[in-house]
DNA sequence: CGGAATCCGAGTAGATACTG
DNA sequence: CAGTATCTACTCGGATTCCG
C-alpha cells in the first residue's frame, strides 16, 4: 500500500451526529448506500487502476453477474462517479472510467481497506469469542 | 416443458467468501458489510458521543425498530466494536459504548461524512442531469 | 461485446405482540 | 426498560434469454 495516506482528514474531536432523529440524513446515506454496496467498491477499486471495458470489469471482479455489474455501473454513472463512453464500433465497445469525484472516493475506500486490514484479526477474534460465549446464537 | 431450473440451490458453489481471489480485498467485506449497513453507522455515530442505553439509542436514531436496533447492536458487539454492559437493576438497564476498535472506526465514518457533505451537491446535480437525460430510466 | 428484460428464490426490514 | 418471537412485505441478487 502506498504510504501517501491522504483523503482522511484526522477527525476533529467533536463528532456532530449527522443523520439523527429529525433531520433525514446529511447526505451520508447517499454515499453509504453506494460504498456499502457489495459491488460498487470493487468496481471503484478496479477502475482506480485505469479505464476498463464492461467485460474487463466483469472478468476482473469475477463473481458479479452482468445484471449486477450493469446496475452497479449505472448507479455510479448516475452519481457522477463514473463516466461511460460508448464507441460506435462493431461490436459496440464501452469503457468506464472514474471521474474526479469517483477518484476522490478511492481514497476513502483505501482508508477503509487499511482500517479493515489493521483490525481484521481483532474483529475475527472478537467474533470467535462471541460465538464461543453465545453458542446457538445466530446473528450472522 | 417448463424450464425447471437445474435444481440449483442457493449454494455458492465455488464463490470465494472474500469476493475476489487474486486481490487483497478479503478483509474489506467484513468492514463494508458493517459500515454499509443502514443502521450501524448511525449507531456508531451516536455512540461516538458517549455511552447510551438501548432506549436512548432508539430514540436518538428514530426510525429504527427495536428489532433492527437489537440486531445492529448485536453485530457490532460480536465484531468487538461495541461493549454491552448489563446492570442487574429493576428494570434492567443496559448500556452500550464503543470499544477502542469501534472508536477508531468513528474516524473513518467521519471521513465518509465529510466526503459525503463535500460532494453531496455534485452528486445530486449529477443525478438530476442523469435523470434528465434518461427519462423513464428507473435505476435508482 | 454490451446490455435489457424476465423469472424467481433468499435474505432482510418493519410492525406487532409478548416476556423478564 | 430491554429484549425475544412471529409473520409478512419487499428488495436484492443470480441465472437465463434475447436484442442491437
Amino acid at each position: 500500500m502506498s504510504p501517501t495516506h491522504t483523503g482522511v482528514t484526522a477527525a476533529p474531536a467533536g463528532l456532530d451526529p449527522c443523520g439523527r432523529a429529525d433531520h433525514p440524513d446529511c447526505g451520508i446515506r447517499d454515499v453509504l448506500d453506494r460504498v456499502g454496496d457489495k459491488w460498487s467498491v470493487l468496481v471503484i477499486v478496479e477502475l482506480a487502476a485505469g479505464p476498463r471495458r464492461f467485460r474487463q470489469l466483469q472478468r476482473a471482479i469475477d463473481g458479479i453477474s452482468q445484471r449486477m455489474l450493469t446496475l452497479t455501473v449505472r448507479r455510479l454513472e448516475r452519481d457522477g462517479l463514473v463516466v461511460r463512453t460508448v464507441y460506435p464500433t462493431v461490436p459496440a465497445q464501452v469503457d468506464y472510467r472514474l471521474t474526479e469525484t469517483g477518484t476522490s472516493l478511492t481514497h476513502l475506500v483505501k482508508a477503509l481497506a487499511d482500517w479493515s486490514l489493521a483490525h481484521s484479526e481483532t474483529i475475527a477474534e472478537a467474533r470467535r469469542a462471541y460465538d464461543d460465549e453465545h453458542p446457538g446464537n445466530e446473528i450472522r
Side-chain angles (χ1 to χ4, degrees), chain A:
Chain A
M1 304 300 190
S2 65
T4 46
H5 189 263
T6 56
V8 182
T9 55
L15 185 71
D16 80 302
C18 262
R20 251 182 94 196
D22 335 328
H23 33 130
D25 42 49
C26 307
I28 303 182
R29 282 260 56 84
D30 295 330
V31 184
L32 255 32
D33 285 347
R34 205 56 62 238
V35 173
D37 187 42
K38 182 177 182 181
W39 303 113
S40 293
V41 178
L42 297 181
V43 169
I44 290 174
V45 168
E46 188 59 29
L47 289 181
R52 294 282 188 273
R53 296 211 311 282
F54 191 85
R55 277 301 211 191
Q56 282 186 297
L57 280 175
Q58 192 176 3
R59 268 184 245 108
I61 298 179
D62 179 79
I64 192 173
S65 59
Q66 300 96 316
R67 191 178 117 89
M68 287 327 292
L69 181 53
T70 299
L71 286 175
T72 302
V73 111
R74 278 287 180 286
R75 290 177 193 142
L76 291 174
E77 184 196 3
R78 178 172 181 251
D79 287 358
L81 302 179
V82 159
V83 182
R84 176 170 172 273
T85 311
V86 183
Y87 298 98
T89 60
V90 175
Q93 187 174 318
V94 180
D95 81 43
Y96 298 90
R97 68 189 64 203
L98 292 176
T99 59
E100 307 257 329
T101 307
T103 301
S104 69
L105 223 195
T106 64
H107 298 144
L108 286 181
V109 172
K110 176 73 171 57
L112 229 36
D114 287 343
W115 189 93
S116 181
L117 285 174
H119 298 275
S120 59
E121 288 181 36
T122 305
I123 291 179
E125 192 178 335
R127 285 185 183 177
R128 262 180 263 115
Y130 186 93
D131 292 344
D132 193 50
E133 290 178 47
H134 305 262
N137 201 335
E138 289 290 337
I139 35 173
R140 220 256 300 196

